[in-house]
């Protein structure tokens, strides 16, 4: 039996959420994206007009620098100019709102074997509109970052 009740759909509207962030149906069958094992991911309902943030908690014994290197290889600046991997920093929405960036921050507590990964992006700019401009640039031979920085 889950002790977490999914929020009613109308409470997901940010103007009705006020200034009260809340976990969305954590560990509930209503939230199939919530996974609890060695990895914990809980989406948040935030009272913001734009922006998405996710936080992932993971138990691992891997060295922090090795984990950071995996992220750097996955998002090299020459192939992913709008993804900023920021070890030691947990990004906030104010870092990415009004930009085409997705910031990924990582912190590690070795004594607890706990890795925290936070991502933040502006869903209005990094979403379909920014993607359309980025694709237009690529299709017509412009630098990928034209009109997006």
């Amino acid at each position: 039996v889950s002790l977490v009740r999914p929020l009613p759909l109308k409470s997901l509207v940010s103007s009705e959420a006020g200034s009260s962030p809340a976990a969305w149906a954590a560990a509930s069958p209503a939230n199939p994206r919530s996974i609890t094992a060695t990895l914990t991911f809980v989406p948040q309902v935030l009272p913001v007009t734009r922006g998405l943030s996710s936080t992932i908690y993971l138990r691992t014994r891997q060295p922090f620098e090795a984990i950071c290197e995996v992220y750097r290889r996955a998002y090299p600046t020459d192939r992913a100019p709008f993804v900023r991997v920021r070890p030691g920093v947990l990004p906030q929405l104010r870092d990415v709102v009004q930009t085409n960036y997705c910031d990924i921050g990582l912190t590690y507590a070795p004594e607890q074997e706990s890795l925290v990964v936070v991502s933040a992006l502006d869903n209005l700019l990094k979403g379909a509109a920014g993607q359309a401009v980025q694709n237009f640039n690529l299709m017509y031979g412009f630098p990928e970052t034209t009109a997006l920085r």
Side-chain angles (χ1 to χ4, degrees), residues 61-73 106 115:
R61 292 187 176 128
Q62 298 297 316
F64 183 61
E65 193 50 47
I67 295 167
C68 294
E69 186 56 32
V70 168
Y71 275 89
R72 286 187 197 105
R73 281 195 316 254
L106 305 103
L115 175 71

Side-chain angles (χ1 to χ4, degrees), residues 3-87:
L3 299 178
V4 179
R5 180 178 55 84
L7 295 171
L9 183 59
K10 78 173 198 167
S11 70
L12 299 179
V13 178
S14 66
S15 63
E16 294 177 353
S19 296
S20 180
W24 181 76
S28 164
N31 181 8
R33 293 168 290 191
S34 177
I35 303 166
T36 303
T38 56
L39 171 82
T40 304
F41 170 66
V42 178
Q44 300 290 311
V45 176
L46 301 172
V48 296
T49 55
R50 61 192 302 161
L52 297 172
S53 180
S54 69
T55 305
I56 300 169
Y57 304 91
L58 176 67
R59 289 224 183 277
T60 182
R61 292 187 176 128
Q62 298 297 316
F64 183 61
E65 193 50 47
I67 295 167
C68 294
E69 186 56 32
V70 168
Y71 275 89
R72 286 187 197 105
R73 281 195 316 254
Y75 301 105
T77 54
D78 62 328
R79 285 195 355 244
F82 295 109
V83 177
R84 299 184 292 205
V85 177
R86 304 174 68 195

